[in-house]
Amino acid sequence: MDRDFARERRLMTDSQIRARGVRDPLVLAAMAKVPRHLFVPEGLRPHAYADEPLPIGDGQTISQPYIVAYMTEALGLRGGERVLEIGTGSGYQTAVLAEIAGEVWTIEIVEPLALRSRAILDGLGTTNVRYRIGDGSKGWPEAAPFDAVIVTAAAPQMPVALEGQLAVGGRMIIPVGTDLQELYLVRRTKKGFDKERRLAVRFVPLI
């Protein structure tokens, strides 16, 4: 019998995301729409909407749905923004961002993942994403400044290059650390950068 992925997606949004404090209607709508099961390996699709990260090959994972929603909400997107994503990975976070932002620039260093995620996003008809294969720690300077930056792998320290590509008034959400990691929200002001610790997290390392 075919699984009712749309129902599982609604339950995920209600029980894992809304119930844990995510309130942004744009984020909730995106999480309820994007078909997460398409971004995980076929053998793991029965677990696609579970409250956990899942392996996607090449030593990488697709993040827990709540973390995807939490990080997206932290960016404060209202629509029309230019967003830089470091670590395309499965493409799931990219798809969620693309539902809300105006344009998404995404970088992935692992070529097989980059090609696979782009094929999935193209298959969904996503047209507002630009792709690059390479080292994301340097960002995408020729497209800067960005209204928002999201990093989906843990940097050992705060990347100065990415801070510099934020527009004044922009936000960056990033996990920082090695064994112990914390999620930081960085805001760029006219005077510099405000950095706020948010959550203890566990991400694969930024390479």
Side-chain angles (χ1 to χ4, degrees):
M1 186 175 70
D2 291 339
R3 298 180 70 93
D4 187 349
F5 285 120
R7 178 177 177 275
E8 291 184 34
R9 198 157 54 246
R10 290 193 299 271
L11 289 172
M12 174 198 75
T13 305
D14 287 339
S15 64
Q16 298 176 35
I17 298 168
R18 184 183 283 108
R20 292 166 75 177
V22 174
R23 293 287 180 264
D24 188 323
L26 296 177
V27 174
L28 293 170
M31 297 298 293
K33 179 179 178 182
V34 175
R36 189 171 190 260
H37 61 280
L38 296 183
F39 295 90
V40 305
E42 192 164 353
L44 293 176
R45 287 185 178 175
H47 308 284
Y49 297 100
D51 185 25
E52 60 184 347
L54 295 170
I56 55 172
D58 296 286
Q60 304 298 301
T61 60
I62 182 173
S63 292
Q64 174 188 6
Y66 170 71
I67 291 294
V68 172
Y70 182 94
M71 292 177 70
T72 306
E73 183 176 57
L75 296 176
L77 304 176
R78 300 271 63 87
E81 293 89 355
R82 295 160 45 86
V83 178
L84 173 64
E85 180 190 33
I86 307 303
T88 315
S90 69
Y92 177 61
Q93 174 74 79
T94 318
V96 171
L97 293 168
E99 285 292 321
I100 305 171
E103 291 183 281
V104 179
W105 280 257
T106 187
I107 306 174
E108 173 56 56
I109 197 168
V110 181
E111 185 172 1
L113 285 183
L115 297 176
R116 190 185 317 147
S117 59
R118 180 168 188 171
I120 296 168
L121 288 157
D122 286 348
L124 290 172
T126 305
T127 59
N128 60 335
V129 178
R130 301 186 186 192
Y131 304 88
R132 173 172 286 180
I133 299 171
D135 179 2
S137 66
K138 302 294 188 291
W140 202 319
E142 64 270 31
F146 297 96
D147 302 303
V149 177
I150 185 169
V151 184
T152 62
Q157 59 263 335
M158 195 69 69
V160 175
L162 299 182
E163 287 183 328
Q165 291 175 36
L166 264 183
V168 173
R171 294 180 168 204
M172 174 168 68
I173 190 82
I174 176 172
V176 178
T178 50
D179 294 334
L180 299 174
Q181 302 171 7
E182 291 188 287
L183 196 63
Y184 278 82
L185 179 63
V186 180
R187 299 178 179 88
R188 185 167 194 174
T189 70
K190 291 180 180 179
K191 295 181 179 180
F193 298 92
D194 293 333
K195 300 174 184 179
E196 175 189 346
R197 292 179 183 176
R198 286 295 191 94
L199 291 176
V201 290
R202 174 66 66 182
F203 278 82
V204 296
L206 181 65
I207 50 176

